[in-house]
Amino acid sequence: LTCLAEGEDPDGLPSFSYTWYNQSTGAILGQGDTLELTADTASPKDLILCEALLEDEIGASDVATSSLNVNNRPPQLLSVQLSETSSPTANVLGCSGEAEDIDGDQLTSSYLWSFVGGGLIGNSAQLELDPTLVTPGDQLTCTVKVSDPYGGSSTLESDVVNIVNTPPTIDA
């Protein structure tokens, strides 16, 4: 961020000094006309204030301020991994997502398993299959959603899991 103030002093050359504050936390963030925000110094929705002090050589001064709200940047879901892409009708499938948040926010994940073509079958990272839920030829996907505490989110769907036939066995 850059803070630039203009002013004049009819008696001489004024000097400027700048102080940055996080109004939401009460913290002094730094001195100087530029400030680099980090996840340690500000969070989304914080109010950042620049105070410009104009002072002449006798000590007379004037102050001006400018402020802005920090915006949230949503997380990015980079990939979705499946435990397998081909499964028998009796099995446990797993789904996970790899995500990042440039703001450094804590992320929460949610999962939806569905049939290709429609129909929800599960809503957790693991899906326990049995022949009453799926039949050979069914295709499933897992959709992962990551969310940050400020309303940002990202969603990504997995590759297809093909449900295959389990050969019968005979006990002799």
Side-chain angles (χ1 to χ4, degrees):
L1 302 174
T2 301
C3 188
L4 178 62
E6 294 181 12
E8 61 183 68
D9 179 12
D11 300 324
L13 295 174
S15 64
F16 286 97
S17 63
Y18 301 91
T19 306
W20 295 88
Y21 302 92
N22 183 326
Q23 292 288 91
S24 301
T25 65
I28 297 173
L29 301 178
Q31 303 284 324
D33 62 347
T34 61
L35 175 72
E36 184 173 338
L37 290 180
T38 67
D40 294 329
T41 60
S43 297
K45 301 185 181 176
D46 280 358
L47 181 65
I48 305 301
L49 178 111
C50 173
E51 179 182 86
L53 174 66
L54 174 62
E55 190 170 23
D56 67 15
E57 60 271 357
I58 304 173
S61 64
D62 194 12
V63 174
T65 61
S66 181
S67 61
L68 63 92
N69 284 306
V70 178
N71 292 327
N72 182 44
R73 293 173 288 184
Q76 295 298 310
L77 197 49
L78 305 173
S79 64
V80 174
Q81 297 84 34
L82 294 169
S83 58
E84 50 199 288
T85 57
S86 181
S87 173
T89 57
N91 194 16
V92 176
L93 298 175
C95 180
S96 63
E98 180 184 352
E100 67 181 12
D101 188 285
I102 198 162
D103 297 326
D105 298 329
Q106 184 72 31
L107 300 178
T108 57
S109 300
S110 60
Y111 306 88
L112 290 177
W113 289 90
S114 56
F115 291 100
V116 172
L120 183 64
I121 189 172
N123 62 357
S124 65
Q126 290 192 329
L127 177 64
E128 188 170 346
L129 300 177
D130 70 61
T132 64
L133 294 174
V134 294
T135 59
D138 285 344
Q139 294 183 312
L140 308 175
T141 59
C142 174
T143 301
V144 179
K145 179 179 181 179
V146 292
S147 303
D148 69 23
Y150 304 99
S153 66
S154 178
T155 304
L156 190 61
E157 186 175 86
S158 72
D159 291 333
V160 172
V161 177
N162 292 299
I163 305 302
V164 295
N165 187 42
T166 304
T169 57
I170 297 177
D171 293 331

